[in-house]
C-alpha cells in the first residue's frame, strides 16, 4: 500500500539523527565563521570517518541485539600487531598487515563463538576481551619493544603502498580528503545493502527482535551473530591500519574509551539498545554529528573542556527525539 512521504520518513530510523545533524550544522555555521571553509569541512569529515568506520558495524551488531566493548582496544591491537610483526620479522609491511587481519578476525570470531556457546551476555564476553586486550597491548609491547610505543617502520618495504591504501590524502581542487572518508562511505553502502537487500539483513533484524522467534523460523542465529562480530573485527582492522600508517608509531594504551563513542554514535543514529531496530546510514550520521561537535567547538573558539558535556546532552536529546519519532511512526501503521 502506498504511504505518504511524511509517513515513510517517520518510519526511517535515521530521521532523528538527520534532523539533529542539520540543526547542528546550521548552528555551527552561524556561531563559527571558519566552520564553512573547505579545509574545516574536510577536517570534520576526517574526524567523523575515524568514528564512522567503527560505528557502522557496531550499529549492525546492535541491531542484532548485541554489544562489543572491545572495539576501541581492538583497533589498537590491530595496529600493534602489524607494526611489531613487520619490525621484528624484518618483513614487508604488507605481511604484517595480513597477519593483523587474521589475528583481528580471530578476536572477532572468539567474541562471537564464546557468545553463542556460553550464552553469557555480550556485555560480559566483550568486557573480558577488552580487559585481556588492554593488558596484552601494554604488556607485549613493553616486552617486545622495551617501551609502550612501537618502533618506526616508515623505512620498510611496502610502507608507502600501505599508507596509500589506509592513510593517503586525496586532493579535489583545493579540498583535501582523507582516504578514510572513502572507506567510511564504502562500509555504509555495503552495510546498507546487506540490511535492506539480502537475507542476512533479515536475519540480523530477526535475531535482534527475538532470538527464540528467529530460531523457530529457521534463522541461523549462531552464524549471524558470529558474522556480525567478524564485521566489527574487519572494521577494527581497517581503523588500526590507518592508525599505524598515518602516524607510523602506535601507543599501546590508545583506544580505551572509544568503544563508548562508537556505541553512542549508533544510538544517536537511531539504533535501539534492545536490538531489532536501526540503520547503517543512521550510524554514519551519528558519527558525523560527533565530528561536527568536536571540531565545531574548536572553530567557535569555545573551551574544549565542555566537549564531553555537549556530547552527553546531545546523546540524551537524540535518544529522546528518536524515541518520539518511533512512537509517531508506530501510531501511523
Amino acid at each position: 500500500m502506498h504511504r505518504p512521504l511524511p509517513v515513510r520518513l517517520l518510519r526511517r530510523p535515521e530521521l532523528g539523527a538527520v534532523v539533529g545533524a542539520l540543526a547542528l550544522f546550521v548552528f555551527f555555521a552561524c556561531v563559527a565563521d571558519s566552520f564553512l571553509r573547505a579545509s574545516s569541512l574536510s577536517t570534520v569529515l576526517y574526524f567523523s570517518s575515524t568514528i564512522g568506520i567503527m560505528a557502522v558495524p557496531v550499529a549492525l551488531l546492535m541491531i542484532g541485539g548485541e554489544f562489543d566493548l572491545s572495539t576501541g582496544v581492538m583497533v589498537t591491537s590491530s595496529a600493534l600487531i602489524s607494526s611489531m610483526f613487520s619490525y621484528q620479522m624484518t618483513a614487508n609491511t604488507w605481511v604484517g598487515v595480513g597477519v593483523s587481519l587474521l589475528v583481528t578476525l580471530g578476536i572477532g570470531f572468539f567474541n562471537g563463538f564464546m557468545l553463542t556457546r556460553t550464552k553469557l551476555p555480550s556485555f560480559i564476553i566483550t568486557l573480558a576481551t577488552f580487559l585481556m586486550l588492554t593488558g596484552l597491548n601494554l604488556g607485549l609491547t613493553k616486552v617486545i619493544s622495551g617501551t609502550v610505543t612501537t618502533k618506526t617502520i616508515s623505512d620498510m618495504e611496502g610502507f608507502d603502498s600501505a599508507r596509500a591504501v589506509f592513510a593517503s590524502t586525496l586532493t579535489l581542487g583545493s579540498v583535501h580528503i582523507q582516504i578514510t572518508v572513502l572507506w567510511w562511505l564504502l562500509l555504509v553502502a555495503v552495510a546498507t545493502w546487506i540490511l535492506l537487500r539480502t537475507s542476512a539483513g533479515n536475519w540480523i533484524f530477526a535475531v535482534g527482535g527475538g532470538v527464540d522467534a528467529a530460531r523457530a523460523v529457521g534463522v541461523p542465529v549462531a552464524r549471524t551473530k558470529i558474522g556480525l562480530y567478524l564485521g566489527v573485527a574487519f572494521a577494527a582492522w581497517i581503523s588500526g591500519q590507518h592508525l599505524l600508517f598515518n602516524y607510523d608509531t602506535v601507543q599501546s594504551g590508545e583506544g580505551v574509551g572509544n568503544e563508548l563513542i562508537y556505541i553512542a554514535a549508533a544510538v544517536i543514529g537511531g539504533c535501539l539498545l534492545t536490538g531489532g531496530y536501526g540503520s547503517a546510514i543512521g550510524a554514519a550520521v551519528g558519527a558525523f554529528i560527533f565530528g561536527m561537535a568536536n571540531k565545531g567547538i574548536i572553530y567557535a573558539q569555545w573551551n574544549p573542556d565542555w566537549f564531553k558535556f555537549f556530547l552527553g546532552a546531545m546523546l540524551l536529546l537524540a535518544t529522546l527525539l528518536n524515541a518520539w519519532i518511533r512512537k509517531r511512526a508506530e501510531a501511523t501503521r
Side-chain angles (χ1 to χ4, degrees):
M1 184 177 64
H2 178 71
R3 291 183 174 88
L5 179 61
V7 174
R8 282 181 286 162
L9 289 176
L10 278 174
R11 299 186 66 181
R12 294 301 306 165
E14 64 272 8
L15 177 61
V18 172
V19 172
L22 290 174
L24 197 63
F25 184 87
V26 172
F27 173 74
F28 280 119
C30 294
V31 301
D33 295 336
S34 60
F35 184 75
L36 292 180
R37 294 175 185 171
S39 59
S40 300
L41 293 177
S42 64
T43 302
V44 169
L45 280 175
Y46 169 60
F47 185 83
S48 301
S49 68
T50 59
I51 298 173
I53 287 174
M54 290 302 301
V56 170
V58 165
L60 265 63
L61 183 64
M62 292 178 63
I63 294 171
E66 305 297 345
F67 290 95
D68 191 344
L69 298 180
S70 66
T71 50
V73 292
M74 195 189 304
V75 170
T76 306
S77 298
S78 172
L80 291 171
I81 292 166
S82 288
S83 178
M84 289 191 290
F85 189 90
S86 299
Y87 184 85
Q88 297 298 324
M89 299 300 176
T90 320
N92 187 298
T93 55
W94 279 106
V95 177
V97 170
V99 171
S100 175
L101 174 60
L102 294 177
V103 175
T104 308
L105 289 177
I107 296 171
F109 179 82
F110 172 81
N111 284 336
F113 180 80
M114 291 297 293
L115 174 75
T116 56
R117 284 306 181 108
T118 64
K119 310 299 181 183
L120 289 173
S122 57
F123 177 87
I124 299 298
I125 297 293
T126 58
L127 177 60
T129 305
F130 162 80
L131 294 173
M132 289 188 291
L133 289 180
T134 302
L136 284 172
N137 288 350
L138 180 60
L140 288 180
T141 304
K142 292 184 72 173
V143 168
I144 295 173
S145 301
T147 65
V148 296
T149 306
T150 61
K151 306 294 185 181
T152 178
I153 60 171
S154 60
D155 58 345
M156 296 188 66
E157 183 180 355
F159 182 88
D160 291 336
S161 58
R163 168 171 277 182
V165 173
F166 296 107
S168 60
T169 301
L170 307 176
T171 302
L172 300 175
S174 60
V175 180
H176 302 287
I177 300 176
Q178 284 274 2
I179 199 170
T180 50
V181 176
L182 300 185
W183 277 109
W184 177 33
L185 296 177
L186 177 62
L187 288 176
V188 172
V190 172
T192 301
W193 175 75
I194 290 174
L195 281 178
L196 303 181
R197 293 290 184 267
T198 69
S199 298
N202 292 330
W203 297 344
I204 293 171
F205 281 110
V207 298
V211 172
D212 294 334
R215 188 177 287 112
V217 296
V219 173
V221 174
R223 276 193 294 155
T224 300
K225 289 183 180 290
I226 291 175
L228 289 171
Y229 277 103
L230 288 174
V232 171
F234 178 74
W237 171 73
I238 294 174
S239 295
Q241 303 319 294
H242 170 71
L243 179 66
L244 170 61
F245 291 106
N246 194 48
Y247 299 104
D248 186 19
T249 60
V250 183
Q251 293 282 343
S252 58
E254 290 185 19
V256 176
N258 286 349
E259 62 280 347
L260 299 180
I261 295 178
Y262 306 145
I263 293 173
V267 172
I268 290 175
C271 291
L272 293 181
L273 295 176
T274 52
Y277 188 83
S279 72
I281 295 175
V285 176
F288 185 56
I289 288 176
F290 265 77
M292 284 194 293
N294 181 277
K295 300 305 176 183
I297 288 175
I298 296 174
Y299 296 138
Q301 298 182 344
W302 296 346
N303 188 341
D305 294 339
W306 290 92
F307 174 63
K308 291 294 179 66
F309 172 83
F310 188 83
L311 288 184
M314 186 172 57
L315 174 62
L316 180 60
L317 291 174
T319 305
L320 293 173
L321 178 60
N322 289 334
W324 179 81
I325 291 175
R326 191 174 69 257
K327 289 179 181 179
R328 291 295 300 269
E330 291 173 350
T332 60
R333 291 180 179 176

